[in-house]
Amino acid sequence: MLTLDYAFSASISRSELEDYVRNVEVTIRCPDREGLESYVIGKLALDQILWADAIHDGEQLFDVCDNDSGGLHSVHVVLTRGTNELRKDLAIEEYVGHVLFLWAAVFHPSIHPYRQAIIHTVCSLFGEDSLAVMWSDVTGLSAAELAELGFCKIAGAELIFRHNALRCSFGDEHPRGMDADGAEGSPESEEWVLREWKKFE
């Protein structure tokens, strides 16, 4: 059985620009064949932007995102063309309370069949009033697999997005999640994942 461990910190106030961005790290674990030990079998990194809070507080989203990283700066420019409003051509009609930017992912090859289920679960972490965005090549999933998860392309950019309030074919096919009985962890899988993860640190 795969489990996802989430680690992040959140300020209890919003007095600085960095208080509008939460850095989230997800560690995917799986027991070994005997079920005695649990091992790391994948890792993900996301940024949660408190989008609606920043707008309500009178902050410029450009400043919030640019203050954090070049990646978030690019995401903001693509989504808004540098303003505080989402581009009209994206046709996002649902309320966006926050934006989740998935920017790094490492999956041990043994759990590749479960990547869609993992991404679907992670994107739903903070509820339905969120927009999930990522570069199209981050997860290694095909365009068809990403489309099944509800991700849409943005013209002229490598960024893809989905609003988590909308249904997707993967969620309809797996309304209670996806069994991962074939997955198992090992010291070797954990060593491999942690070695690959160092590329993002």
Side-chain angles (χ1 to χ4, degrees), residues 16 21 33 41 48 59 95 108 119 122 132 155 170 182 198:
E16 304 292 339
V21 179
R33 185 172 301 177
I41 204 164
Q48 180 197 21
E59 300 291 350
Y95 173 74
H108 188 267
I119 297 303
V122 169
F170 180 86
K198 287 182 178 179

Side-chain angles (χ1 to χ4, degrees), residues 85-161:
E85 295 184 5
L86 294 167
R87 290 165 44 178
K88 299 297 184 185
D89 61 304
L90 300 182
I92 300 171
E93 299 179 359
E94 295 73 23
Y95 173 74
V96 176
H98 50 94
V99 172
L100 287 176
F101 172 44
L102 173 61
W103 58 270
V106 171
F107 299 98
H108 188 267
S110 64
I111 61 167
H112 280 191
Y114 312 111
R115 284 178 296 178
Q116 280 181 300
I118 293 167
I119 297 303
H120 185 61
T121 300
V122 169
C123 286
S124 305
L125 172 62
F126 293 103
E128 294 185 346
D129 65 339
S130 58
L131 191 72
V133 297
M134 62 181 174
W135 306 117
S136 58
D137 61 351
V138 166
T139 62
L141 293 170
S142 69
E145 290 170 322
L146 291 167
E148 289 175 359
L149 287 169
F151 282 96
C152 303
K153 295 180 179 180
I154 298 177
E158 292 300 315
L159 198 71
I160 57 177
F161 73 95

Side-chain angles (χ1 to χ4, degrees), residues 2-7 24-30 39-45 122 190 193-194 197:
L2 295 178
T3 59
L4 307 181
D5 296 340
Y6 299 93
V24 184
E25 188 170 294
V26 182
T27 301
I28 307 164
R29 295 183 176 275
C30 186
Y39 294 97
V40 175
I41 204 164
K43 289 181 80 69
L44 305 167
V122 169
E190 180 167 308
V193 169
L194 297 180
W197 190 249

